[in-house]
Amino acid sequence: MSLPVLSALAAGPAPSPSPSTTGSVTPTLQDAQEKATHAASWVEENWSTWLAIGLRVLLVVVIAAILRVFVRRAITKLIDRMGRTAEAVDGTALGGLLVNVERRRQRSQAIGSVLRSVASFLIMGTAALMILSTFEINLAPLLASAGVAGVAIGFGARNLVTDFLSGVFMILEDQYGVGDVIDAGVASGEVIEVGLRVTKLRGDNGEIWYIRNGEVKRIGNLSQGWATAGVDVTVRASEDLDHVRSVIGEVAETISKEEPWNERLWGPIEILGLDSVLLDSMVVRVSAKTMPGKALSVERELRWRIKRAFDAAEIRIVGGPTAAAEDEPVDPAAAVAAPSVFANTESAQSVATAPIPAPAPSSVPK
């Protein structure tokens, strides 16, 4: 045997290869210690940066919250001051020409709600952008995407935006409020609810109209300032005008001193004179300045009292321009038609319109 063979036999049998040599290596304690050391060193190197970012975010949130509370309280105090001013002028002559306290309170609350919402949106939105910039996030793509989305939403919901803006300006300008009687063009009635998008009206027959604020082109408010009550009294043309004026003047003086009409009348009842003069009648115009929304009740009360006063003074009220005077004698032959020439069968007109008689048959045989 050769020397290499002997040395191989002396060494003994060769060990079989381990099946785990091709698999994953089991982590050792030394590897875990190295990873922990790297993590600790990474935290030690970056803890100051993360702490600064956290403090900055906390500072932005605290400042935004304090600013929001301060602004909302300032708006609330402003609205309360407006309400106290309305209560101060209520009951005076100036307060009568303005809207009532409840109306001003509702308007103030609506304005305050809008202002508080806008202030909160601006403050919290600005704080959110500042927090994102603190994390070194590029805001340019975000703002560009928001701008494109805003334009798309604006085109898609332009009617909604128009209604909202119209409602905001309507509330700020105090065009009308709850309890007012308005004519909005498309509908008229009493306002029962005012919103930023829709206004609800109660019609004369009890129906409820929902009117979009953006669709209103004109508004006629019948409840602001003062109203005018007008009554037309039609009497015979033969009546004494001085007597008629004195009777209406007594009625006006009486109603001006009685409650609740003395509060509803904001001026003396005026006899404007003759509105029209016809052959058998004349119209006397009576007018008065009243509280807003009370013109119709004042007109009805005036008609009631004038009618009773005229009956007591023996002044007759006629029904209109075509009414006939009651004291004129009625001609009994007025309803009888005039005799016609066609009633006589021997008259020339009857003979001319008679049918042509048929020829008599001939008696000569053929």
Side-chain angles (χ1 to χ4, degrees), residues 101 146 172 211 237 289 315 321 343 346 352 356 361:
V101 177
L172 293 178
I211 303 175
K289 185 181 295 185
I315 299 176
E346 297 179 357
I356 299 175

Side-chain angles (χ1 to χ4, degrees), residues 302-333:
L302 276 176
R303 293 189 186 98
W304 181 280
R305 293 178 180 245
I306 289 175
K307 177 62 172 62
R308 294 180 60 183
F310 277 12
D311 291 342
E314 297 182 355
I315 299 176
R316 295 186 179 275
I317 299 178
V318 298
T322 59
E326 297 181 1
D327 55 353
E328 294 182 359
V330 180
D331 186 7

Side-chain angles (χ1 to χ4, degrees), residues 24-333:
S24 60
V25 179
T26 303
T28 60
L29 180 60
Q30 184 178 0
D31 296 334
Q33 291 178 352
E34 290 179 357
K35 291 182 179 180
T37 303
H38 287 303
S41 61
W42 183 83
V43 171
E44 184 179 359
E45 292 176 357
N46 297 283
W47 74 270
S48 58
T49 303
W50 285 102
L51 181 60
I53 293 175
L55 292 177
R56 191 179 302 174
V57 171
L58 181 62
L59 182 62
V60 170
V61 172
V62 171
I63 293 176
I66 295 175
L67 183 61
R68 179 175 177 270
V69 172
F70 176 78
V71 172
R72 290 176 66 90
R73 286 186 178 180
I75 295 175
T76 303
K77 290 183 178 180
L78 178 62
I79 299 303
D80 293 341
R81 183 176 301 177
M82 293 174 59
R84 289 195 297 268
T85 304
E87 294 177 359
V89 300
D90 184 48
T92 62
L94 179 62
L97 294 177
L98 298 176
V99 292
N100 53 23
V101 177
E102 182 66 19
R103 161 80 175 278
R104 291 179 65 91
R105 184 186 65 80
Q106 293 176 354
R107 174 172 171 260
S108 301
Q109 289 181 354
I111 295 175
S113 177
V114 173
L115 293 179
R116 283 190 291 265
S117 300
V118 172
S120 300
F121 176 77
L122 292 178
I123 293 174
M124 302 310 295
T126 305
L129 294 178
M130 293 178 64
I131 292 174
L132 292 178
S133 64
T134 302
F135 288 100
E136 298 181 355
I137 298 177
N138 189 10
L139 299 179
L142 180 62
L143 295 178
S145 301
V148 173
V151 172
I153 294 175
F155 277 107
R158 57 185 181 273
N159 292 332
L160 180 62
V161 175
T162 302
D163 297 339
F164 180 81
L165 293 179
S166 299
V168 170
F169 283 106
M170 178 271 299
I171 293 177
L172 293 178
E173 296 173 0
D174 193 21
Q175 298 178 7
Y176 54 85
V178 176
D180 288 352
V181 178
I182 66 171
D183 182 4
V186 294
S188 60
E190 181 182 357
V191 180
I192 60 176
E193 184 177 342
V194 179
L196 293 177
R197 193 182 69 87
V198 176
T199 298
K200 295 182 182 179
L201 300 181
R202 174 78 67 179
D204 296 335
N205 297 326
E207 68 276 11
I208 297 180
W209 298 96
Y210 294 85
I211 303 175
R212 291 168 45 193
N213 295 329
E215 297 295 330
V216 178
K217 303 301 180 183
R218 63 171 181 85
I219 297 175
N221 197 323
L222 307 179
S223 301
Q224 286 185 353
W226 46 268
T228 301
V231 176
D232 292 334
V233 183
T234 305
V235 297
R236 294 180 301 181
S238 60
E239 295 290 345
D240 187 4
L241 288 177
D242 295 334
H243 189 203
V244 172
R245 179 186 291 271
S246 63
V247 173
I248 297 177
E250 293 176 0
V251 173
E253 184 179 358
T254 303
I255 195 175
S256 300
K257 296 179 181 179
E258 296 181 0
E259 294 183 356
W261 310 109
N262 54 354
E263 297 180 357
R264 299 180 182 181
L265 291 171
W266 283 6
I269 299 177
E270 299 179 358
I271 304 175
L272 302 181
L274 290 177
D275 189 67
S276 63
V277 179
L278 301 176
L279 293 176
D280 55 356
S281 65
M282 56 185 177
V283 179
V284 180
R285 181 73 174 178
V286 181
S287 177
K289 185 181 295 185
T290 67
M291 182 186 299
K294 302 299 181 180
L296 186 59
S297 61
V298 173
E299 290 176 359
R300 292 171 177 172
E301 185 66 18
L302 276 176
R303 293 189 186 98
W304 181 280
R305 293 178 180 245
I306 289 175
K307 177 62 172 62
R308 294 180 60 183
F310 277 12
D311 291 342
E314 297 182 355
I315 299 176
R316 295 186 179 275
I317 299 178
V318 298
T322 59
E326 297 181 1
D327 55 353
E328 294 182 359
V330 180
D331 186 7

